[in-house]
Amino acid sequence: MSGPQVLLRDVSAADRDRLRAWRNQSDVAQWMYTDAEISEADHARWFAAALSDPARRYWIIELDGEPVGLANLADISPAHRKCAWAYYLASPSVRGKGVGAYVEYWVIEHVFGPMGLSKLCCEVLVENEAVWRLHESFGFRREALLRQHVWKNGEPRDVVGLGLLADDWAMVREASRDRLRAKGYAFD
Ligand SMILES: CC(C)(COP(=O)(O)OP(=O)(O)OC[C@H]1O[C@@H](n2cnc3c(N)ncnc32)[C@H](O)[C@@H]1OP(=O)(O)O)[C@@H](O)C(=O)NCCC(=O)NCCS
């Protein structure tokens, strides 16, 4: 069985307009902390800062050679051996096919492998239950319920804070690989 061909590549200057278009889609913005329309000028400022900040990393998620989403690391702290991450698949038509699960695996492996960090954190709006459950299925533990943590459309929203330690990952890594194999992904 051959599964989806998923690849993560560095964001380049040529991705700038695509990222603004994706981020302004309501089915992406609704899960982010801010969902006001992002202007071209604001996006250009954000993009330049994003690519030059050593505490951040951005990858385009490609499915069968087509760009389909964005994954990123933030708050990379070598001193505290940790960083945070987030991701989205821009088109709902590519969701639910196992792409997200593979991205989750790839990012975790990258953070604990080549980057040598020992903790990976993330925050998810509490109503985005499918996603915090997805993180938990990869070994993340809920470490916080951050009450009224962000305001969207004039309303306070609660956020789940999750953390995965390299030690946690060592315990679930093989089982996670087995789950991905069952979805058609191959590993050496
Ligand atoms: C989060 C996201 C990247 C997940 O990617 P995906 O490709 O849809 O997820 P997968 O198909 O790999 O599914 C992984 C698991 O999550 C479950 N899942 C995914 N979406 C789900 C949903 N909406 N409801 C219930 N379960 C869901 C799947 O059943 C699967 O479980 P399994 O491994 O036991 O079979 C994608 O849905 C997305 O971009 N959502 C909008 C943006 C977003 O919420 N980003 C996270 C912000 S913190």
Side-chain angles (χ1 to χ4, degrees):
M1 179 165 81
S2 95
Q5 299 298 306
V6 182
L7 184 104
L8 280 83
R9 63 154 174 89
D10 287 338
V11 165
S12 75
D15 295 310
R16 193 179 79 172
D17 294 348
R18 176 192 343 269
L19 290 181
R20 175 170 169 255
W22 281 350
R23 188 56 180 75
N24 277 333
Q25 285 175 207
S26 62
D27 50 28
V28 171
Q30 68 174 308
W31 303 115
M32 304 291 133
Y33 280 179
T34 55
D35 53 11
E37 177 84 10
I38 297 166
S39 70
E40 212 170 319
D42 283 347
H43 181 68
R45 266 191 295 278
W46 171 85
F47 190 79
L51 264 57
S52 59
D53 183 348
R56 293 191 255 172
R57 250 336 266 281
Y58 291 85
W59 295 285
I60 294 289
I61 302 163
E62 289 191 350
L63 172 62
D64 299 330
E66 291 297 318
V68 296
L70 180 73
N72 81 289
L73 304 182
D75 302 328
I76 300 171
S77 169
H80 299 295
R81 302 184 186 192
K82 68 179 180 186
C83 66
W85 81 296
Y87 72 136
Y88 62 75
L89 297 174
S91 166
S93 68
V94 299
R95 295 181 194 160
K97 296 179 175 174
V99 177
Y102 180 81
V103 172
E104 187 118 5
Y105 173 84
W106 189 93
V107 169
I108 295 168
E109 286 277 280
H110 188 78
V111 164
F112 294 145
M115 290 181 71
L117 301 177
S118 44
K119 184 170 188 182
L120 180 59
C121 307
C122 56
E123 292 183 357
V124 182
L125 292 170
V126 73
E127 62 268 30
N128 201 357
E129 183 174 344
V131 172
W132 54 257
R133 283 194 188 282
L134 170 58
H135 291 321
E136 285 176 344
S137 78
F138 278 83
F140 281 86
R141 294 204 203 158
R142 183 188 282 212
E143 297 184 340
L145 177 64
L146 304 161
R147 297 172 306 148
Q148 302 196 5
H149 201 57
V150 295
W151 285 70
K152 280 185 65 137
N153 303 320
E155 297 283 337
R157 310 282 280 271
D158 294 351
V159 166
V160 177
L162 300 121
L164 178 72
L165 304 182
D167 290 347
D168 300 333
W169 180 238
M171 309 234 279
V172 298
R173 181 174 184 265
E174 264 320 304
S176 299
R177 285 162 72 95
D178 286 346
R179 271 173 41 213
L180 288 169
R181 282 192 189 96
K183 291 177 194 279
Y185 292 98
F187 298 96
D188 301 335

